[in-house]
Amino acid sequence: MFPSLASSTPLFILSSPASPPTSIAQFLPPPPVSCPSSLSRRRVIPGPNPHPLLSLPSHSTTFPRHLIRCSSMSVSESTSTTTQLRDSLLYSRAYWVSESTIAWNVDVGDDSCYLFASKSATLSFTDDKVRGEDVKIKLEEDSEGLPENVTEKFPHIQDYLAFKVPPGLDTKTLLKCQLAVAALNSDGKCTNATGLQLPGVLDELFSYNGPLGALFFEESVLLYLWAPTAQAVRACIYRDPSGGDPLEIVQLEEVNGVWSTEGPKRWEGCYYVYEVSVYHPCTLRVEKCHANDPYARGRLSSDGKRTFLVNFDSDRLKPEGWDNLANEKPEIHSFSDISIYELHIRDFSANDHTVPPEFRGCYLAFTLQGSSGVLHLKKLSDAGITHVHLLPTFQFAGVDDEKENWKCVDTKILEQLPPDSDEQQALITAIQNDDGYNWGYNPVLWGVPKGSYASNPNGPCRIIEFRKMIQALNRIGLRVVLDVVYNHLQGSGPFDDNSVLDKIVPGYYLRRNTDGFIEHSTCMNNTASEHVMVERLILDDLLHWAIHHKVDGFRFDLMGHIMKSTMVKAKDALHSLTKERDGIDGSSIYIYGEGWDFGEVAKNGRGVNASQFNLGGTGIGSFNDRIRDAILGGSPFGHPLQQGFATGLLLQPNGHDQGTEAVSECMLAVAKDHIQVGMAANLRDFVITSYQGEEVKGSEVLTHDGTPVAYALCSTETVNYVSAHDNETLFDIVSLKTPKEISVDERCRINHLATGVIALSQGIPFFHSGDEILRSKSLDRDSYNSGDWFNRLDFTYNSNNWGVGLPPKEKNEKNWPLIKPRLADPSFKPQRVHILAAVDNFLNLLRIRYSSPLFRLRTANAIQERVHFHNTGPSGAPGVIVMSIQDGHEGVPGLSQLDPTYSYIVVIINACPTKVSFACPALRTRTLKLHPVQAMSTDELVKSSTYEASSGCLAVPPRTTVVFVEPREV
């Protein structure tokens, strides 16, 4: 309740009416009357807002889009005070951080600070006065500053001044208003003002653990929506996915920020839309926002505008044997046994003519046991791959769910064009936003399977078919990882069709900068997992996918933009799931992601984030970009011709200026150190002999900018990779960085070499689909929207998709001068024999990895004790890595015995273009033999490798990875 006006110092002043209210609720418009069930009743369409819009720039009648996107907006110094005040509510530079505290980075001097509220959003500034308020509350500066719990949650405002909010206010009702703070001088003139950011106080007052979304009971359906700032919420119930009038329009009732209603059982199978009346800071108005349920689970209508009411426990949604799937899943004894194959659902079958046309690019393609793609996955599974990582499968923007709306290009026309032509990309990009292709990193609703991958986006098909896909993959020995994108959302604001969360609780779910505008460091609409109910939505969503779809792991896009505490809670929540209670063994669910540290979250700018260096000890994996860059050279953001360990640095220059020979020699030696640390699972405390001859820990080996190479405390915190869906494919990057005059046979061997480093390293190996078949995207560095043409996979092994035209102009044009001559040269294109050899090589690498537990050591201590690197220090042969893994002997003190077959393993990686021979004293008198898998290989070069026990001399062919083993005595 509000304090009494009898207070000696007025804490608030009413502008209208003159008499004090008992509650601000008397200023609210009456709630809409519930509409009776009637087929003739039309859906209410929001009309013009009756309240005048605050003075905005004359060119726009809505909040300027460039301001919404801007991450660091400020008022021009040349604008007048009047203009600054007029525009001040465009900004939200103050924070209501707790019920008793508002933070504002302002020097009020002798002025007084006030909080203003208007339920109808009519705040404005005229003649330097605040106008249109319903309530005016005086704030006092708190000399103690912001409390520790506030600065811990909001470290980016730790130096702001703290202003006390007087006790006794009806704060919960105030939060439904347009709010501003202003500094007034002794004459009552406003000298500074701004809007407020509310997540802190919303978390304190409205954090909620109860039911959300749709709940189904024997006789009823219940709806729950968390929307504490909403003034009214209605649910429009529809029979059909599109068109028609609502069956009912039901007013929800609010209790402490949660709106709910109970409906009849007949609602099940219907569709609904929420109509939320709420103040939106993007327009400075009270808007009627029409939105899907943030907790939508089953599906949407095909146009994405209505939520389907579906009960996941219904037997009609379960494929045969679904309830027993947890008992059929391939076993995982330890996370260290995992290896991951990254795959896009559409890529998998869109070009597979062994798949019926209606299944191509869809969930059901994975259920066809005799297709080329499934047969290929079976080979990978039999050789050792344990997990398939599927690029986003949730509801994302950019692809219409109705296939009849797609546009396409006649491939016969594309096939007739020259390999270096710019016509293919022109034809593809002309329809790229209207075709069936997108990677999917533009989320609309996290918990709904994408409709475009279903045979029918309406009805229950997408649920049933998604489940059939999971079941089919599990039954061929592959667990399934979902790519989740909780760091950003496609839509924002009250009118965007792709906006959901920002319509329900505006300004809460999306992270904002200190001016109040949405952060876009992730490319779009960053989310804020540091806010309680954002974190809860993420955790609930993960549990939904695990329980209702029985998925086996999660890969987090831009995980560093999520708080570490959220990730730890996610892991704990998933691991707490049991077969008996939840139908899934949560302890076997592995989570990992991109631990990049950049943007507003860098260096813990918004709290301790889930970046590489913060995750040590959590058991959560993160991608190791160090080993990727060392193997290939440079980085995805550097010059594309920068060479690395495998691509010819020093040993076979490509003509690009890499520096002097001495510089190149040093760079190659540094790259070798980085790779060795990575092969030891990138452990912080693993000790190597550096190229300078010093004994150093992995954390003491530094990148070019002084960042430690190693960050992990256990092996499963490192996901080693050399390529992924981002950037060029492995074969493409090799074709760019190596000298133009080398043969395609040599490029293929370099491709093999790079995958070999990853396959035989400690930690989790990760492979981009197509690495094993020399996949090309015609040198496209970012094929997220490049259509099926540039993203084609051919599991018949007839083509690797090289030379299908210059890649799309938007992301590649500056490199066209480098790309064009390579695509035009027919000698760059691999033949079927090369692709078949690549498949054999990859399968053999996997077989070797899984032939011994020594390649998959489970603890940091085991790696430190058993893994050693030779050929190190200043005298080490350049371009050659020698790693040994030692096992113990049963009954012999020292190391325990892990491998019943081999007591000692040696891996030699020769990146040189020539054969190398060198003696390794530590390997003398060993009874080493070429690994039986390689001894039976079709690769004649690898079979020519030799070892001489008396001298410890090794001879390894060019660009070859060789594995020698010491068999135990029988």
Side-chain angles (χ1 to χ4, degrees):
M1 299 297 291
F2 288 108
S4 167
L5 279 178
S7 171
S8 58
T9 303
L11 295 178
F12 70 91
I13 301 170
L14 297 170
S15 59
S16 175
S19 57
T22 57
S23 169
I24 196 171
Q26 75 180 60
F27 295 112
L28 303 186
V33 179
S34 295
C35 300
S37 176
S38 172
L39 289 174
S40 63
R41 183 76 178 180
R42 291 188 176 275
R43 176 179 175 182
V44 178
I45 304 297
N49 194 299
H51 307 300
L53 187 64
L54 235 144
S55 178
L56 295 179
S58 59
H59 63 273
S60 175
T61 58
T62 59
F63 192 72
R65 293 295 299 172
H66 70 281
L67 292 186
I68 297 175
R69 289 192 296 269
C70 180
S71 62
S72 57
M73 185 60 61
S74 62
V75 177
S76 170
E77 294 179 3
S78 63
T79 57
S80 66
T81 302
T82 300
T83 302
Q84 289 181 17
L85 289 175
R86 182 195 68 190
D87 294 341
S88 61
L89 293 181
L90 296 174
Y91 303 88
S92 297
R93 291 169 170 155
Y95 295 71
W96 199 335
V97 292
S98 69
E99 187 173 15
S100 61
T101 305
I102 288 174
W104 190 13
N105 189 25
V106 64
D107 181 9
V108 296
D110 295 329
D111 295 350
S112 298
C113 188
Y114 292 85
L115 172 66
F116 293 85
S118 168
K119 179 55 67 174
S120 55
T122 56
L123 291 179
S124 63
F125 297 96
T126 307
D127 300 327
D128 297 336
K129 296 287 183 99
V130 182
R131 308 289 186 185
E133 77 273 18
D134 298 321
V135 174
K136 176 182 176 184
I137 302 165
K138 188 173 184 181
L139 307 174
E140 299 291 343
E141 186 176 343
D142 187 345
S143 60
E144 297 291 325
L146 293 173
E148 184 177 350
N149 66 313
V150 169
T151 57
E152 183 178 349
K153 181 167 183 172
F154 303 109
H156 61 297
I157 63 167
Q158 59 185 313
D159 296 326
Y160 281 35
L161 295 180
F163 292 90
K164 296 178 182 177
V165 178
L169 290 177
D170 186 0
T171 306
K172 293 182 178 181
T173 306
L174 267 178
L175 292 170
K176 298 179 182 296
C177 301
Q178 179 188 25
L179 297 169
V181 288
L184 307 183
N185 64 20
S186 57
D187 296 328
K189 289 188 175 182
C190 182
T191 58
N192 206 335
T194 189
L196 283 161
Q197 299 188 39
L198 305 179
V201 66
L202 292 179
D203 281 349
E204 180 178 83
L205 297 181
F206 294 105
S207 295
Y208 170 74
N209 291 319
L212 288 170
L215 276 68
F216 297 86
F217 297 92
E218 187 173 336
E219 300 296 332
S220 63
V221 176
L222 273 63
L223 300 179
Y224 293 90
L225 179 71
W226 187 77
T229 61
Q231 297 180 8
V233 177
R234 303 198 296 179
C236 303
I237 311 297
Y238 294 86
R239 169 61 61 195
D240 298 314
S242 62
D245 298 321
L247 297 173
E248 300 177 61
I249 300 178
V250 182
Q251 174 71 38
L252 276 68
E253 296 182 357
E254 181 189 13
V255 177
N256 203 36
V258 178
W259 300 77
S260 63
T261 190
E262 182 175 4
K265 184 66 172 177
R266 67 175 179 272
W267 280 6
E268 187 174 344
C270 291
Y271 296 80
Y272 67 109
V273 175
Y274 283 127
E275 178 192 89
V276 182
S277 297
V278 64
Y279 171 74
H280 208 296
C282 283
T283 61
L284 309 182
R285 295 166 52 157
V286 176
E287 303 287 0
K288 281 187 178 178
C289 299
H290 293 86
N292 285 300
D293 191 336
Y295 274 74
R297 295 302 186 212
R299 69 170 183 79
L300 305 176
S301 56
S302 59
D303 63 4
K305 293 183 178 179
R306 295 178 186 174
T307 305
F308 187 48
L309 281 160
V310 60
N311 184 357
F312 268 85
D313 291 329
S314 172
D315 288 339
R316 67 189 181 92
L317 299 181
K318 298 177 181 178
E320 184 178 352
W322 178 251
D323 287 334
N324 192 49
L325 185 59
N327 297 318
E328 298 179 26
K329 286 183 176 290
E331 289 189 12
I332 287 291
H333 299 290
S334 167
F335 287 154
S336 62
D337 292 332
I338 289 174
S339 55
I340 301 170
Y341 184 77
E342 179 197 48
L343 183 62
H344 184 261
I345 285 178
R346 185 159 180 83
D347 289 351
F348 174 66
S349 61
N351 193 51
D352 190 343
H353 293 283
T354 64
V355 173
E358 64 272 21
F359 287 178
R360 291 175 195 165
C362 296
Y363 300 126
L364 290 179
F366 291 90
T367 67
L368 303 174
Q369 294 299 303
S371 73
S372 296
V374 170
L375 292 175
H376 184 77
L377 290 182
K378 286 180 178 178
K379 291 178 186 177
L380 298 180
S381 174
D382 291 344
I385 289 289
T386 63
H387 287 63
V388 167
H389 160 173
L390 297 176
L391 267 66
T393 58
F394 49 73
Q395 188 67 20
F396 57 79
V399 175
D400 195 315
D401 283 348
E402 294 282 5
K403 296 176 178 63
E404 58 264 31
N405 295 332
W406 295 353
K407 297 178 181 177
C408 62
V409 179
D410 187 346
T411 55
K412 292 181 180 178
I413 295 174
L414 298 173
E415 287 167 354
Q416 293 172 2
L417 297 170
D420 61 338
S421 169
D422 64 356
E423 292 185 58
Q424 293 98 325
Q425 65 86 31
L427 291 168
I428 295 296
T429 55
I431 54 98
Q432 66 181 1
N433 295 322
D434 299 302
D435 65 359
Y437 196 90
N438 196 291
W439 279 349
Y441 292 98
N442 36 3
V444 176
L445 275 168
W446 293 323
V448 179
K450 177 60 178 167
S452 64
Y453 296 142
S455 60
N456 183 351
N458 291 309
C461 285
R462 68 173 87 184
I463 303 167
I464 298 169
E465 292 173 7
F466 188 96
R467 287 174 162 180
K468 285 183 176 180
M469 174 184 68
I470 301 291
Q471 187 179 54
L473 285 167
N474 283 175
R475 285 177 172 175
I476 63 171
L478 294 168
R479 287 177 168 251
V480 181
V481 172
L482 294 192
D483 201 323
V484 288
V485 186
Y486 296 124
N487 64 87
H488 65 248
L489 289 164
Q490 174 71 17
S492 64
F495 308 123
D496 188 336
D497 284 345
N498 293 317
S499 176
V500 177
L501 296 176
D502 201 39
K503 291 177 178 178
I504 304 295
V505 192
Y508 178 81
Y509 286 96
L510 302 181
R511 185 181 289 134
R512 296 195 281 171
N513 64 20
T514 52
D515 283 329
F517 302 118
I518 297 169
E519 294 279 12
H520 286 85
S521 56
T522 66
C523 296
M524 63 180 79
N525 301 315
N526 298 4
T527 55
S529 68
E530 60 269 26
H531 303 161
V532 172
M533 296 303 287
V534 182
E535 178 180 83
R536 181 191 160 172
L537 180 55
I538 292 171
L539 299 180
D540 287 350
D541 196 69
L542 290 166
L543 292 172
H544 157 70
W545 287 109
I547 294 170
H548 292 129
H549 290 296
K550 303 185 187 297
V551 300
D552 308 291
F554 297 94
R555 177 267 190 192
F556 287 75
D557 185 61
L558 297 184
M559 180 174 63
H561 272 64
I562 299 171
M563 294 300 108
K564 175 183 177 181
S565 58
T566 303
M567 293 300 303
V568 171
K569 289 176 186 176
K571 178 190 171 188
D572 292 345
L574 290 167
H575 284 190
S576 70
L577 300 176
T578 65
K579 287 184 184 180
E580 295 73 23
R581 185 184 65 243
D582 308 295
I584 195 78
D585 176 14
S587 67
S588 65
I589 294 175
Y590 179 62
I591 62 176
Y592 60 102
E594 296 178 306
W596 319 139
D597 192 40
F598 70 98
E600 75 282 358
V601 301
K603 302 185 186 303
N604 300 323
R606 293 300 181 100
V608 180
N609 64 327
S611 59
Q612 289 169 328
F613 290 100
N614 287 336
L615 287 175
T618 65
I620 296 168
S622 64
F623 286 99
N624 179 12
D625 52 330
R626 280 71 155 171
I627 197 169
R628 175 201 66 189
D629 293 346
I631 292 171
L632 298 179
S635 80
F637 312 103
H639 196 284
L641 297 185
Q642 177 64 56
Q643 292 178 285
F645 178 84
T647 55
L649 178 62
L650 178 68
L651 304 172
Q652 200 166 35
N654 60 11
H656 175 66
D657 183 8
Q658 319 274 347
T660 64
E661 184 173 341
V663 168
S664 294
E665 185 176 359
C666 180
M667 289 170 60
L668 179 60
V670 168
K672 180 176 168 180
D673 282 356
H674 290 192
I675 294 168
Q676 289 175 153
V677 172
M679 293 185 74
N682 222 40
L683 295 174
R684 293 184 195 176
D685 295 330
F686 185 84
V687 177
I688 67 166
T689 301
S690 75
Y691 74 97
Q692 297 169 314
E694 299 172 346
E695 299 289 306
V696 292
K697 294 181 178 179
S699 59
E700 296 169 335
V701 178
L702 305 178
T703 64
H704 66 91
D705 62 356
T707 303
V709 167
Y711 53 79
L713 290 178
C714 71
S715 63
T716 55
E717 291 172 356
T718 292
V719 178
N720 282 322
Y721 75 117
V722 75
S723 73
H725 66 273
D726 283 322
N727 312 308
E728 294 90 347
T729 67
L730 175 57
F731 182 81
D732 282 352
I733 203 71
V734 167
S735 298
L736 269 177
K737 291 178 179 291
T738 52
K740 286 192 288 185
E741 62 271 14
I742 72 171
S743 69
V744 68
D745 302 88
E746 292 175 278
R747 292 193 184 92
C748 292
R749 292 201 71 82
I750 292 171
N751 193 103
H752 305 342
L753 186 88
T755 54
V757 175
I758 302 303
L760 302 179
S761 294
Q762 303 293 328
I764 307 293
F766 175 100
F767 306 100
H768 178 217
S769 57
D771 282 356
E772 76 284 10
I773 54 175
L774 308 176
R775 181 186 189 174
S776 172
K777 297 179 182 179
S778 210
L779 293 167
D780 191 348
R781 67 171 284 105
D782 190 358
S783 67
Y784 80 102
N785 203 18
S786 298
D788 295 325
W789 181 252
F790 288 98
N791 285 285
R792 287 186 302 177
L793 277 171
D794 181 2
F795 291 122
T796 65
Y797 314 137
N798 287 312
S799 170
N800 79 328
N801 208 45
W802 172 270
V804 296
L806 285 169
K809 182 176 182 179
E810 179 190 5
K811 298 291 181 73
N812 300 281
E813 186 178 18
K814 70 176 183 179
N815 289 331
W816 276 1
L818 297 175
I819 293 171
K820 190 175 177 66
R822 288 167 169 79
L823 295 181
D825 187 343
S827 70
F828 274 75
K829 184 176 178 64
Q831 303 304 308
R832 177 176 170 83
V833 64
H834 295 113
I835 298 171
L836 291 173
V839 174
D840 282 348
N841 175 79
F842 188 76
L843 296 176
N844 284 342
L845 288 169
L846 292 173
R847 292 176 183 124
I848 291 170
R849 179 176 182 83
Y850 287 94
S851 70
S852 172
L854 298 179
F855 285 112
R856 311 183 311 279
L857 297 172
R858 297 184 180 185
T859 67
N861 187 56
I863 294 171
Q864 290 168 348
E865 288 181 331
R866 298 166 187 263
V867 176
H868 301 280
F869 290 94
H870 314 276
N871 186 47
T872 58
S875 61
V880 180
I881 292 174
V882 182
M883 176 181 74
S884 65
I885 314 174
Q886 185 172 3
D887 199 17
H889 293 268
E890 191 172 326
V892 178
L895 293 177
S896 59
Q897 181 177 322
L898 303 177
D899 188 341
T901 306
Y902 305 124
S903 59
Y904 199 80
I905 296 175
V906 179
V907 177
I908 308 100
I909 301 162
N910 176 20
C912 301
T914 56
K915 178 180 179 180
V916 295
S917 297
F918 60 95
C920 187
L923 302 181
R924 287 177 186 163
T925 70
R926 292 281 178 184
T927 55
L928 297 176
K929 298 179 180 179
L930 191 63
H931 195 289
V933 169
Q934 290 188 323
M936 298 177 65
S937 169
T938 57
D939 183 351
E940 295 301 322
L941 266 183
V942 76
K943 288 194 287 188
S944 69
S945 306
T946 61
Y947 161 76
E948 184 180 83
S950 61
S951 63
C953 186
L954 298 162
V956 180
R959 296 193 173 103
T960 299
T961 297
V962 181
V963 180
F964 287 100
V965 292
E966 184 175 71
R968 293 189 182 278
E969 296 180 4
V970 179

